[in-house]
Every structure is written in C-alpha cells, then in structure tokens.
Amino acid sequence: VQGRLLAMGEAGSPVRFDAAAPAAFAPDSSEQGAWRGIRFRSTPENQEPSLLRFCVIEHAKGIGPDHPGGALSFIGFSRCRIENSILRENAADFGAAAFCSRHAAPEFASCLMEGNFAFESGSALYCLDAYPRLIACTLVDNHDLNPEIFDRAGVVVAMLSKPRLDGCVIWGNSSKYVLDEHVLRTKPYYPTCNDVEYGLDGEGNIAANPEFTGEGEYPWAPGPDSPCIDAGPVDEPCESLPDLDLAGAPRVLDGRV
C-alpha cells in the first residue's frame, strides 16, 4: 500500500481478504494456498490514515527476510487503525498476524487474532523498534513452531519496542519456549487490565481462565461468568474503542469495557 486503504465492512458482512485457493494452505514454507498479505512499507506519512473495519484477513504468508509479517506488515508507517477485524490462519517467520518495525505504531481495536503460526517468533505480533497498540483484542490459539526451546518465542514479542496492551485477552496459545510466557520483553507500565495466561506484570492484569463461550458464531466471546467482564480499562474507554464489538453488540456499557 503506497496510498490510503479503506476497507470498511459491517457486523455480519465483513470485507474478506483471502487466498485464491485457501484449502491448500498449511503452516509450512510453501506458497500453496497463500498470498503475501497487506504491506505498508515506507508508505508516505502525508497520506490520509488507512482504516480496516470489520475485515477478515486469512491465509497470508510472509516467508524469508524480505517478507516479515503474515496478514499485516508495517515498516516505517503508523497511520493505520484496524478495528473489529479477524486475523486468522496466517503464517510468517516473524509476526504471523502482524509485524511492526522502524517506529511503526498502528492501532488495533476490538480485534481477534486466532489460529496463526510463527516459524521463528511472534505467533500473533512481532515488534522491532516499534510502538503498536492493542485495545480490547483477543489473541487465542496462535502457535509458535520454533523448535529451539531457548529462543524467545511467544504470542507478542517486543524487541527494542514498547507495545501497549489495554484490556486484551491472551489465552490458549502455544510455543516450545522453555519459560511459561506469552508476552515477551514488554515494559510493565504499558500493559494494563489484560487477562494473560501465565500472568504479566502491569497494572490491573490478571491470569484467570476467561471462560469463553466456546460455541456459536463467536466462540471466543466471554461467557456470562467470565472474569474479564467489567475488568477492562476505565480510563477513556469510549474514546479508544469502537461502539460495537465483533458480534455487533455494544462494546462499552456504563463507562466500562
């Protein structure tokens, strides 16, 4: 993308980005059933901001040093917001759902990153000298396939970066890393009010089973007894979140996520 991208669907009728033959997709280094994702590589900063709303991005691959990031890649460009979107079944060496570098700071709000595969690190998000923000996002069932148990592999990996995570759920992901960590090298004052398996330093963070519904069209929604309900950020929740969630229900009620 060298200009501005506007992809705006609606709840129940998303804009879909997919491979021509997705049935051939597999988490390997082949190009079968895959495409190379959406890439903002040094997009001029004088462009109007890009927006992806109610989108589904699937079966993208970024293989090799010239193609970091699976579904989305931001290199030296920040003016993009992704909201109420699903990044699912994508693969990359680094950052299977999204990769950010060279001071990139895109914003993800109310998004689902599900079933993505990293071959090296960052099964959902990999940051290298970057500052992305995730607000009320759910990162589940992502897998880091790096076989080296001492390589720092996880769901969100920050290298010389300061990603912000506010009100997110990170649960049910896997890697072979020797330590039980899903979020690596973040600063403790940036992640707030998240539910992270194995825990995460930061104000308001918890490590409790999110009690997903596990059924229906939105199986990763919190069930009625979920500890995540009313545990999200209280500071400016209405400003940073879309009005509706992925299912089209109100995201903020009585000033709380």
Side-chain angles (χ1 to χ4, degrees):
V1 179
Q2 286 299 309
R4 185 188 193 194
L5 175 61
L6 297 176
M8 296 184 287
E10 299 177 352
S13 182
V15 175
R16 292 187 173 273
F17 297 87
D18 205 345
F25 178 89
D28 55 28
S29 58
S30 74
E31 296 184 358
Q32 298 293 321
W35 58 297
R36 287 187 174 174
I38 301 172
R39 304 187 175 275
F40 296 84
R41 185 184 293 267
S42 299
T43 301
E45 284 291 330
N46 61 0
Q47 297 289 342
E48 291 295 316
S50 291
L51 173 64
L52 283 73
R53 175 184 294 155
F54 284 112
C55 293
V56 178
I57 307 176
E58 299 178 286
H59 306 119
K61 281 187 183 179
I63 306 298
D66 294 332
H67 303 287
L72 295 169
S73 181
F74 301 92
I75 299 178
F77 180 73
S78 300
R79 305 187 70 190
C80 185
R81 177 175 166 92
I82 305 95
E83 64 180 48
N84 280 335
S85 294
I86 299 174
L87 283 63
R88 180 171 54 205
E89 289 192 28
N90 303 285
D93 289 341
F94 296 93
F99 174 87
C100 304
S101 71
R102 285 173 46 193
H103 304 284
E107 186 171 82
F108 296 82
S110 192
C111 291
L112 171 65
M113 300 182 185
E114 171 198 3
N116 301 288
F117 301 89
F119 303 120
E120 295 291 339
S121 190
S123 57
L125 174 66
Y126 191 94
C127 315
L128 178 61
D129 191 19
Y131 311 91
R133 185 180 185 189
L134 276 65
I135 309 162
C137 292
T138 302
L139 285 60
V140 292
D141 197 30
N142 300 290
H143 307 283
D144 202 303
L145 305 180
N146 188 337
E148 300 296 330
I149 64 171
F150 295 111
D151 285 357
R152 285 182 172 268
V155 185
V156 176
V157 179
M159 300 294 290
L160 303 174
S161 300
K162 298 175 182 177
R164 291 184 59 181
L165 289 83
D166 301 306
C168 297
V169 179
I170 304 176
W171 203 270
N173 305 278
S174 71
S175 79
K176 294 180 173 61
Y177 184 43
V178 66
L179 299 180
D180 288 333
E181 295 182 50
H182 280 326
V183 180
L184 304 179
R185 293 186 171 179
T186 57
K187 305 295 183 183
Y189 43 85
Y190 281 110
T192 60
C193 299
N194 303 284
D195 186 9
V196 181
E197 192 172 6
Y198 305 123
L200 180 66
D201 291 338
E203 181 180 353
N205 293 327
I206 61 175
N209 190 321
E211 301 290 347
F212 295 124
T213 59
E215 59 185 13
E217 189 175 357
Y218 303 98
W220 304 117
D225 298 323
S226 173
C228 301
I229 295 175
D230 289 338
V234 295
D235 295 333
E236 303 177 355
C238 301
E239 177 182 335
S240 55
L241 281 172
D243 293 336
L244 305 178
D245 64 13
L246 272 172
R251 172 56 91 172
V252 177
L253 293 173
D254 299 325
R256 293 296 300 266
V257 178

